[in-house]
């Protein structure tokens, strides 16, 4: 009889140990996942598109979300009020640690630095985007350093 009780206690102890290890691994996984998501969110570099047409008087469109639409439609984050601009003309999106510009099969096409955009292309500071008759100048904002971090460490 005492052998059965001892076996039962050993099984219970093993189950408690495995439950504790599973719980600890779950907490570690959850913490690492939340840190990775926070780190990815911190990599997003805000971007400004400056409308350089004479009528716009350097109107600035600021983006800090990972995706924004450019077009005439009221739902576009960068709304351009010009008949040569399609309702959904182009898309600016942040992925793979870069801002990308993509034409959305617009009627008049999208030009990047005076060249017709045929595929999604990485944007850099100072690029000139032309949607119809509207010119947009790309301004990348500097990355903010993490508090408490020093250069070289």
């Amino acid at each position: 009889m005492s052998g059965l009780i001892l076996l039962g206690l050993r099984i219970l102890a093993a189950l408690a140990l495995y439950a504790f290890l599973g719980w600890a691994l779950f907490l570690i996984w959850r913490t690492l996942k939340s840190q990775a998501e926070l780190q990815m969110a911190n990599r997003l570099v805000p971007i400004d598109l400056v409308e350089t047409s004479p009528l716009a008087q350097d109107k600035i469109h600021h983006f800090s979300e990972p995706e924004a639409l450019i077009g005439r439609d009221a739902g576009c984050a960068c709304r351009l009020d010009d008949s040569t601009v399609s309702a959904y003309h182009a898309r600016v999106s942040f992925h793979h640690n870069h801002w990308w510009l993509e034409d959305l099969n617009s009627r008049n096409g999208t030009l990047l630095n005076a060249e017709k955009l045929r595929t999604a292309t990485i944007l850099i500071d100072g690029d000139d985007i032309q949607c119809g008759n509207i010119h947009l100048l790309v301004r990348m904002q500097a990355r903010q350093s993490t508090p408490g971090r020093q250069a070289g460490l």
Side-chain angles (χ1 to χ4, degrees), residues 10 13 15 30 45 61 65 95-96 100 130 139:
R10 284 182 181 173
L15 287 175
R30 190 174 69 179
V45 177
H61 303 276
E65 296 295 318
H95 55 87
H96 297 96
W100 296 74
Q130 184 178 348
R139 289 285 178 227

Side-chain angles (χ1 to χ4, degrees), residues 48-50 99 101 111-113 121-130 135-140:
D48 291 334
L49 297 180
V50 182
W99 281 101
L101 176 66
L111 301 179
L112 179 61
N113 299 325
T121 305
I122 294 175
L123 292 172
I124 59 172
D125 191 46
D127 276 346
D128 177 54
I129 301 170
Q130 184 178 348
H135 286 266
L136 301 166
L137 183 63
V138 175
R139 289 285 178 227
M140 302 279 180

Side-chain angles (χ1 to χ4, degrees), residues 105-120:
N105 297 320
S106 58
R107 179 181 62 230
N108 293 321
T110 303
L111 301 179
L112 179 61
N113 299 325
E115 292 186 24
K116 185 164 179 69
L117 192 66
R118 301 191 191 291
T119 184

Side-chain angles (χ1 to χ4, degrees), residues 27-141:
L27 287 178
I28 290 170
W29 171 79
R30 190 174 69 179
T31 303
L32 288 174
K33 182 180 174 190
S34 67
Q35 285 176 350
E37 288 172 354
L38 181 63
Q39 189 176 31
M40 287 303 290
N42 286 340
R43 285 186 180 177
L44 179 68
V45 177
I47 186 174
D48 291 334
L49 297 180
V50 182
E51 231 178 290
T52 58
S53 65
L55 298 175
Q57 298 176 354
D58 290 347
K59 182 178 177 184
I60 298 173
H61 303 276
H62 178 75
F63 304 111
S64 56
E65 296 295 318
E67 184 173 292
L69 293 174
I70 300 171
R72 230 180 38 240
D73 191 76
C76 291
C78 181
R79 190 171 185 284
L80 304 176
D81 193 24
D82 189 85
S83 62
T84 61
V85 177
S86 298
Y88 297 102
H89 199 96
R91 175 183 305 137
V92 177
S93 57
F94 188 83
H95 55 87
H96 297 96
N97 214 23
H98 294 284
W99 281 101
W100 296 74
L101 176 66
E102 173 184 10
D103 182 60
L104 298 177
N105 297 320
S106 58
R107 179 181 62 230
N108 293 321
T110 303
L111 301 179
L112 179 61
N113 299 325
E115 292 186 24
K116 185 164 179 69
L117 192 66
R118 301 191 191 291
T119 184
T121 305
I122 294 175
L123 292 172
I124 59 172
D125 191 46
D127 276 346
D128 177 54
I129 301 170
Q130 184 178 348
C131 298
N133 291 331
I134 306 291
H135 286 266
L136 301 166
L137 183 63
V138 175
R139 289 285 178 227
M140 302 279 180
Q141 295 182 9

